[in-house]
Amino acid sequence: MNKYYIVDKSILPDSYEKVIQARKLIDTGEVTQVSEATKKVGISRGTYYKYKDLVFNNERGDWNKKAVISFMLDHQKGILSKVLSIISEKNASILTINQNIPIHQIASVMISLDFSELTCTVDELLEAIGNISGATKVELVSIE
């Protein structure tokens, strides 16, 4: 995630809006299967999966407030605590934490965040976590 642009939908391919429509059908429970939603709006499942985490409807107002990040941590005392401190310092709220047991002295971690009150950019948050000694492969998995 580097930059966002707000553009008039008239210059975008129709498939972007159809992805948003399909996601809304699924989110509201009107349909239960991705294949059903994509058929209803007239796009392929491949198009849906390619763009589902990349195009958003700005009308919702809260589209950019939740994210899932993943990273690897060396199996050393206190590293996760440092990550959590940075998240707190940047004013993000942790929704969930999933940490696997360390294999070869490295544990994978996924954290979902509410960053509606984040005091920096998401990229800056990821960079700050990546600067912790023992934290590697810091990535944005998805954003809402």
Side-chain angles (χ1 to χ4, degrees):
M1 183 177 95
N2 291 324
K3 293 183 182 180
Y4 284 107
Y5 298 101
I6 298 176
V7 298
D8 189 298
K9 73 177 182 177
S10 66
I11 68 168
L12 298 173
D14 290 340
S15 59
Y16 291 172
E17 186 170 3
K18 290 180 180 185
V19 167
I20 292 169
Q21 291 170 353
R23 188 173 49 231
K24 184 177 179 182
L25 290 172
I26 295 165
D27 289 347
T28 61
E30 189 172 329
V31 299
T32 57
Q33 305 264 334
V34 170
S35 58
E36 188 179 0
T38 57
K39 185 176 181 181
K40 196 166 191 170
V41 299
I43 57 173
S44 69
R45 289 176 67 234
T47 298
Y48 175 79
Y49 284 114
K50 182 175 183 179
Y51 297 115
K52 73 178 182 73
D53 294 325
L54 300 173
V55 295
F56 306 96
N57 184 348
N58 197 31
E59 293 173 5
R60 277 182 33 187
D62 65 346
W63 66 273
N64 195 15
K65 294 186 178 178
K66 292 185 182 121
V68 176
I69 60 173
S70 71
F71 46 92
M72 305 299 279
L73 291 180
D74 290 348
H75 185 56
Q76 296 176 11
K77 188 176 184 178
I79 294 178
L80 181 58
S81 178
K82 289 177 185 177
V83 171
L84 300 179
S85 291
I86 286 178
I87 291 170
S88 177
E89 288 169 12
K90 305 295 184 182
N91 216 30
S93 296
I94 297 169
L95 301 172
T96 63
I97 301 174
N98 294 307
Q99 180 177 352
N100 292 323
I101 62 169
I103 297 177
H104 303 294
Q105 298 299 315
I106 298 175
S108 65
V109 180
M110 291 191 79
I111 297 179
S112 61
L113 302 168
D114 176 339
F115 53 86
S116 55
E117 297 181 26
L118 192 65
T119 58
C120 64
T121 68
V122 175
D123 288 328
E124 290 169 339
L125 176 63
L126 296 177
E127 183 179 341
I129 294 169
N131 287 336
I132 296 171
S133 178
T136 59
K137 297 184 181 180
V138 181
E139 297 177 352
L140 178 67
V141 175
S142 67
I143 190 169
E144 177 182 79

